[in-house]
Amino acid sequence: MRQSSIRVALCLALAIAGITAAHAADTPGADAPAQPEQAQDSSLQAFIRANPDCLEFTDQCSHCAVVNGVAECSTAEIACIKRENQCTRRIAN
């Protein structure tokens, strides 16, 4: 009887440790360095400055719309190959 109680306690302890480790892995920013996101933001802003008449653009992974001078982009698609940004809709003249 005592051995089964010890086994149950050990299983619970291992399960709790596993849940804690899994939760830590899901924490935003746990693995992602801040530098690449800042570089991506600056490249989006550079594209917007270089193409002031562009309303929508894509890199074949995300689709972005320019709203008040700021890019609002979709989440990147799974298994895409990122390319240079290309304007898909411009201001009509």
Side-chain angles (χ1 to χ4, degrees), residues 19-33:
I19 291 170
T20 303
H23 179 68
D26 291 340
T27 303
D31 294 333

Side-chain angles (χ1 to χ4, degrees), residues 53-72:
D53 63 336
C54 185
L55 296 175
E56 295 177 0
F57 60 94
T58 184
D59 62 3
Q60 302 301 315
C61 291
S62 297
H63 302 281
C64 304
V66 180
V67 179
N68 296 325
V70 177
E72 292 185 4

Side-chain angles (χ1 to χ4, degrees), residues 25-41:
D26 291 340
T27 303
D31 294 333
Q35 203 75 333
E37 187 175 316
Q38 290 174 351
Q40 182 181 8
D41 287 344

Side-chain angles (χ1 to χ4, degrees), residues 42-88:
S42 65
S43 69
L44 290 177
Q45 291 302 320
F47 180 82
I48 292 169
R49 281 192 302 273
N51 298 279
D53 63 336
C54 185
L55 296 175
E56 295 177 0
F57 60 94
T58 184
D59 62 3
Q60 302 301 315
C61 291
S62 297
H63 302 281
C64 304
V66 180
V67 179
N68 296 325
V70 177
E72 292 185 4
C73 300
S74 67
T75 303
E77 296 175 18
I78 296 173
C80 68
I81 298 173
K82 193 170 185 172
R83 299 191 179 142
E84 292 285 322
N85 286 322
Q86 292 184 335
C87 189
T88 57

